[in-house]
């Protein structure tokens, strides 16, 4: 890698400041111990919901990706704690010209099924994602790729349709996971339940609705894990998950109810990990369904939501008020874009202009996460003030993902976990017409001008010009209100006193490279 070039190419990531500091041991505990944790043991992770699929070419939610990302599967490059790229399956890279990137690959790496990792394996993966017959929801994120060219066994080139500055930011994310080409050829339809990668952990079993088990890869090509395995247990009840950490029945949960913060901080057996994230929580209108095809109705709802009371009352001041669907930590965020003021009179005026009479009803769909149910109830109460009756529909997480992807909802509470730190991942997936549905655009929003701004920003190598394009897009999005921004995430994890070396990256992935369980 040429250091000067990396600095230029990742000017887009300069806005991402370090939110994680100190060594791994310091990050996972204020309680220091002289006793060194022994290697071995199984890390038990308690989770609210089960995964929806384990095929990275079809995963569209971070909770599912969290099970396999940099555990079973690996990427060519991996983000460090500041979201800057560093080598993984690719040991070095360089940009040959505006549209050609060359990667030199690690040698001697094998997939869990014995297949060799090489340039052909890389080509097989990206060809699969981009093949229309695959129908991968990730295809749009990688549509700038024209061709993957195999130069030799350990050299591969990415030929692009146009210059794309944040290419590495996509390759470090779950979308860039490399699957065994043998598994793709022989058992492609089984990858959703049986992942086969090169990572430090091997998939062992999945009992749907109960648990997913990974075991240590004894033949791992890199530094081997310090634990023998990981079990992701599905525990829907918030209080039960915390109790499991407190008693040692489980070691960590990264889905922390904010109502339990005081209890956690007062505990002598639990520690709380907090870090600012890249994600934003929002209200999503299905703009294809009446009456939300009328921007005045969407604005009326936006002005009737008192966001500050939600952040304080529902989230216990965990996270901050969002003014757009782009987190302040994401490149392209515009601080001058303003959220919607709480203004009941303006709401009523807009509804009258839209010809909406008293008695409007709609269904607000949410997943079964406690805070989101509570948020739905607060919004239900607030909208009574403008004569709108809200029916709340609570769906199990997998059913919620499916329903919003298919556009079965009227309005939904959602969130977008930016996995790269770059505005393209936010803008293209949430707002581009090509991303409607499973790819991320749950509002089914479409505006040719916004599409062009987003696509122009993809092709622009000058970081200042990219920011200008994103600012223009955000201004239009703010005016057309496909989403009502609510909260910038703060990621939380609770872990027991026996756990050392655990950290969350800003995309909210559990990173287990250095984890030990005493």
């Amino acid at each position: 890698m040429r250091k000067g070039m990396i600095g230029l190419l990742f000017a887009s990531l300069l806005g991402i400041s370090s939110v994680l500091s100190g060594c791994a041991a310091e990050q996972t505990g204020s309680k220091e111990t002289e006793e060194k944790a022994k290697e071995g043991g199984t890390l038990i992770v308690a989770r609210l919901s089960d995964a929806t699929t384990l095929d990275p070419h079809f995963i569209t939610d971070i909770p599912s990706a969290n099970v396999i990302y940099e555990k079973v599967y690996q990427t060519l490059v991996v983000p460090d704690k500041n979201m800057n790229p560093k080598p993984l399956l690719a040991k070095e890279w360089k940009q040959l010209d505006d549209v050609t990137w060359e990667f030199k690959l690690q040698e001697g790496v094998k997939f869990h099924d014995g297949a060799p990792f090489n340039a052909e394996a890389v080509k097989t993966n990206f060809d699969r994602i981009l093949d229309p017959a695959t129908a991968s929801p990730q295809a749009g994120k990688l549509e700038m790729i024209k061709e993957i060219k195999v130069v030799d066994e350990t050299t591969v080139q990415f030929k692009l349709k146009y210059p794309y500055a944040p290419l590495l930011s996509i390759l470090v994310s779950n979308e860039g996971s490399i699957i065994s080409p043998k598994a793709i050829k022989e058992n492609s339809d089984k990858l959703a339940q049986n992942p086969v990668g090169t990572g430090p952990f091997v998939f062992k079993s999945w009992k749907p609705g109960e648990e997913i088990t990974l075991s240590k890869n004894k033949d791992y090509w890199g530094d081997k894990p310090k634990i023998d395995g990981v079990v992701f247990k599905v525990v829907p009840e918030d209080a039960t998950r915390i109790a499991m950490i407190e008693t040692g029945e489980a070691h960590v949960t990264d889905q922390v109810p904010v109502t339990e913060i005081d209890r956690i901080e007062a505990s002598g057996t639990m520690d709380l990990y907090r870090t600012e994230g890249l994600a934003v929580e929002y209200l999503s209108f299905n703009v294809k369904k009446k009456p939300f095809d009328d921007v005045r109705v969407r604005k009326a709802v936006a002005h009737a939501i008192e966001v500050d009371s939600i952040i304080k009352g529902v989230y216990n001041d965990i996270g901050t008020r969002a003014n757009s669907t782009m987190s302040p930590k994401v490149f392209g965020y515009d601080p001058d874009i303003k959220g919607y003021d709480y203004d009941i009179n303006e709401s009523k005026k807009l509804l009258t202009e839209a010809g909406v009479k008293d008695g409007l009803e709609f269904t607000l769909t949410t997943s079964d996460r406690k805070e989101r149910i509570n948020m739905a109830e607060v919004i239900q109460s607030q909208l009574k003030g403008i004569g709108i009756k809200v029916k709340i529909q609570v769906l199990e997480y997998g059913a919620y993902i499916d329903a919003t992807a298919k556009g079965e909802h009227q309005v939904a509470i959602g969130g977008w976990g930016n996995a790269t730190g770059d505005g393209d991942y936010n803008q293209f997936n949430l707002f581009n017409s090509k991303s409607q549905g499973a790819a991320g655009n749950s509002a089914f929003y479409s505006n040719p001008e916004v599409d062009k701004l987003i696509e122009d920003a993809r092709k622009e190598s000058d970081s200042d010009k990219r920011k200008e394009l994103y600012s223009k897009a955000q201004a239009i999005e703010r005016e057309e209100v496909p989403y009502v921004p609510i909260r910038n995430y703060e990621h939380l994890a609770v872990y027991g006193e026996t756990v050392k070396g655990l950290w969350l990256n800003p995309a909210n992935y559990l990173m287990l490279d250095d984890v030990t369980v005493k």
Side-chain angles (χ1 to χ4, degrees):
M1 281 177 289
R2 298 202 298 265
K3 293 183 179 179
M5 180 167 288
I6 294 306
L8 173 63
L9 293 172
F10 284 88
S12 64
L13 297 178
L14 288 176
I16 305 174
S17 60
S18 172
V19 295
L20 304 165
S21 59
C23 66
E26 291 172 334
Q27 289 170 326
T28 54
S30 56
K31 303 178 180 67
E32 295 298 329
T33 175
E34 294 181 1
E35 181 182 356
K36 185 177 180 181
K38 294 187 296 183
E39 294 189 11
T42 298
L43 183 75
I44 299 174
V45 182
R47 314 178 78 232
L48 170 64
S49 305
D50 205 354
T52 56
T53 177
L54 298 180
D55 186 335
H57 297 172
F58 287 86
I59 289 174
T60 58
D61 62 287
I62 283 181
S64 294
N66 217 343
V67 175
I68 56 172
Y69 178 74
E70 306 304 350
K71 302 172 186 74
V72 175
Y73 287 117
Q74 294 181 297
T75 46
L76 295 179
V77 286
V78 66
D80 66 12
K81 294 174 181 179
N82 299 321
M83 294 301 287
N84 295 314
K86 63 180 185 178
L88 192 57
L89 288 176
K91 57 185 179 182
E92 59 182 81
W93 59 86
K94 58 184 175 181
Q95 190 172 7
L96 302 182
D97 56 47
D98 285 349
V99 293
T100 307
W101 293 66
E102 184 172 274
F103 295 83
K104 294 288 186 180
L105 308 179
Q106 300 283 359
E107 300 175 19
V109 177
K110 290 188 178 298
F111 289 93
H112 301 155
D113 60 4
F117 167 74
N118 52 29
E120 284 289 352
V122 175
K123 177 175 172 58
T124 298
N125 272 263
F126 288 95
D127 284 352
R128 179 187 187 234
I129 295 175
L130 295 170
D131 185 351
T134 303
S136 167
Q138 315 293 25
K141 302 179 181 113
L142 296 161
E143 61 93 27
M144 78 295 297
I145 297 174
K146 179 181 180 180
E147 177 192 4
I148 303 295
K149 181 181 177 181
V150 174
V151 178
D152 57 40
E153 186 80 0
T154 59
T155 309
V156 64
Q157 290 180 355
F158 282 62
K159 298 280 190 177
L160 308 184
K161 298 174 184 175
Y162 49 81
Y164 182 69
L167 178 66
L168 295 185
S169 74
I170 292 288
L171 298 184
V172 303
S173 67
N174 176 66
E175 289 83 350
S177 297
I178 306 297
I179 303 170
S180 162
K182 179 181 177 183
I184 289 175
K185 182 179 180 180
E186 298 177 0
N187 298 298
S188 185
D189 58 335
K190 296 181 180 179
L191 286 169
Q193 294 81 35
N194 188 22
V196 184
T198 58
F201 294 96
V202 176
F203 173 79
K204 185 176 181 181
S205 65
W206 184 3
K207 298 177 183 177
E210 295 183 28
E211 64 184 37
I212 296 173
T213 302
L214 312 178
S215 59
K216 182 177 183 175
N217 180 5
K218 295 179 181 179
D219 298 318
Y220 180 53
W221 64 275
D223 293 333
K224 292 180 175 58
K226 297 174 182 177
I227 51 176
D228 294 329
V230 189
V231 178
F232 296 89
K233 285 186 174 290
V234 179
V235 184
E237 299 80 14
D238 290 341
T240 304
R241 287 198 305 281
I242 300 304
M244 289 173 71
I245 308 300
E246 194 165 27
T247 61
E249 186 179 350
H251 299 110
V252 61
T253 177
D254 60 337
Q255 293 161 318
V256 182
V258 297
T259 53
E260 301 290 334
I261 297 297
D262 291 343
R263 172 187 173 187
I264 294 163
E265 291 183 333
S267 170
T269 59
M270 296 186 289
D271 282 301
L272 180 65
Y273 184 100
R274 300 174 68 157
T275 181
E276 293 178 69
L278 305 176
V280 172
E281 203 156 27
Y282 49 70
L283 203 66
S284 170
F285 298 107
N286 186 337
V287 301
K288 289 189 173 181
K289 290 191 174 181
K290 291 184 177 298
F292 301 108
D293 57 342
D294 190 322
V295 67
R296 294 170 295 188
V297 178
R298 302 196 296 269
K299 284 184 177 180
V301 172
H303 280 298
I305 296 175
E306 193 174 9
V307 175
D308 290 339
S309 67
I310 292 174
I311 293 172
K312 183 174 179 61
V314 174
Y315 287 100
N316 197 23
D317 287 324
I318 301 296
T320 58
R321 177 174 181 155
N323 63 330
S324 80
T325 57
M326 199 180 292
S327 158
K329 297 187 70 60
V330 173
F331 171 82
Y333 167 80
D334 185 347
D336 294 328
I337 300 295
K338 302 302 179 186
Y340 287 89
D341 295 331
Y342 178 63
D343 190 336
I344 290 291
N345 291 330
E346 182 66 14
S347 291
K348 292 178 177 178
K349 175 186 172 186
L350 287 163
L351 288 176
T352 299
E353 290 176 1
V356 175
K357 299 179 181 179
D358 289 342
L360 171 64
E361 297 184 18
F362 73 81
T363 298
L364 176 57
T365 301
T366 181
S367 66
D368 52 0
R369 182 177 160 190
K370 184 176 180 181
E371 288 90 351
R372 289 196 175 175
I373 296 171
N374 291 345
M375 187 201 300
E377 291 171 348
V378 171
I379 291 172
Q380 180 187 55
S381 175
Q382 290 178 350
L383 293 186
K384 285 181 181 178
I386 57 172
I388 294 179
K389 183 178 180 181
V390 177
K391 177 183 177 182
I392 298 172
Q393 178 187 38
V394 179
L395 298 177
E396 178 273 327
Y397 187 68
Y400 164 84
I401 292 291
D402 187 59
T404 52
K406 292 177 179 176
E408 295 173 351
H409 61 294
Q410 284 183 286
V411 184
I413 294 174
W416 187 250
N418 189 303
T420 67
D422 191 273
D424 179 69
Y425 198 90
N426 175 284
Q427 289 290 300
F428 190 88
N429 295 302
L430 286 182
F431 296 98
N432 194 275
S433 300
K434 296 175 185 176
S435 299
Q436 290 182 6
N441 185 351
S442 61
F444 290 82
Y445 173 73
S446 179
N447 181 315
E449 184 180 359
V450 171
D451 285 349
K452 187 176 187 306
L453 286 166
I454 293 169
E455 288 161 16
D456 286 349
R458 290 191 131 190
K459 301 170 186 177
E460 180 56 64
S461 58
D462 184 298
S463 60
D464 289 334
K465 291 179 180 177
R466 287 188 76 213
K467 286 181 179 180
E468 290 176 11
L469 292 166
Y470 286 140
S471 292
K472 290 177 181 177
Q474 288 173 80
I476 297 171
E477 294 154 7
R478 193 263 180 202
E479 189 62 26
E480 297 197 335
V481 214
Y483 305 89
V484 181
I486 303 292
R487 183 178 72 109
N488 298 310
Y489 272 61
E490 181 179 359
H491 297 311
L492 306 175
V494 176
Y495 56 96
E497 59 184 349
T498 61
V499 178
K500 303 297 176 186
L502 176 77
W503 63 284
L504 300 180
N505 81 354
N508 202 29
Y509 287 123
L510 280 170
M511 307 304 283
L512 305 181
D513 299 19
D514 298 315
V515 167
T516 59
V517 180
K518 188 173 69 177

